[in-house]
Amino acid sequence: MVKIKNIDKSEVLVLKEQVAYQKQQIVSKTLAQNEHVSITLFAFDKGEEISTHESGGDAFVTCLDGVGEITIDDKKYEIHEGESIVMPAKHPHAVLGKEQFKMLLVVVF
């Protein structure tokens, strides 16, 4: 059973306000995780990145703030606030903060 954690319940929230930027860092806040799903908020300072890797599940990314660059199979995609992209399971991908960048990541296994 998945339970949402680390976030207020029964309250209207602005997701991008739930994780803060930190200079020269990537900050993450896990909201739920088990063998079926992982839900995490991220804040990337400009220039910070998660290097190329693969996931066992489809990874759904929604940009909450700023500008990010998502690389899937060596193809680069720029993502802005309100836009989403799916990084397919077992395909190499990476994430870069082109500017400061916040995202919601939902991985379904």
Side-chain angles (χ1 to χ4, degrees):
M1 173 191 248
V2 177
K3 292 193 178 190
I4 300 292
K5 61 183 182 179
N6 299 325
I7 198 164
D8 293 331
K9 297 178 180 147
S10 300
E11 183 177 317
V12 176
L13 302 170
V14 177
L15 281 179
K16 68 183 177 182
E17 295 175 358
Q18 302 304 305
V19 64
Y21 294 115
Q22 291 190 23
K23 188 138 183 85
Q24 298 180 326
Q25 290 188 31
I26 299 170
V27 178
S28 65
K29 184 176 190 178
T30 300
L31 304 182
Q33 188 164 7
N34 69 16
E35 66 274 11
H36 303 293
V37 67
S38 174
I39 304 171
T40 310
L41 293 170
F42 286 90
F44 291 72
D45 197 17
K46 181 179 180 178
E48 295 299 313
E49 80 174 304
I50 296 173
S51 60
T52 303
H53 64 285
E54 293 181 16
S55 172
D58 287 334
F60 181 83
V61 171
T62 297
C63 178
L64 303 174
D65 187 49
V67 181
E69 181 179 271
I70 309 295
T71 304
I72 305 168
D73 293 324
D74 293 323
K75 183 173 180 185
K76 296 182 184 313
Y77 302 87
E78 194 168 278
I79 186 170
H80 301 88
E81 185 173 340
E83 296 178 333
S84 299
I85 191 167
V86 174
M87 300 180 292
K90 301 187 186 341
H91 285 255
H93 58 267
V95 181
L96 167 71
K98 282 195 82 169
E99 300 296 332
Q100 284 190 322
F101 169 59
K102 291 183 181 180
M103 71 178 200
L104 172 67
L105 174 67
V106 179
V107 183
V108 180
F109 301 98

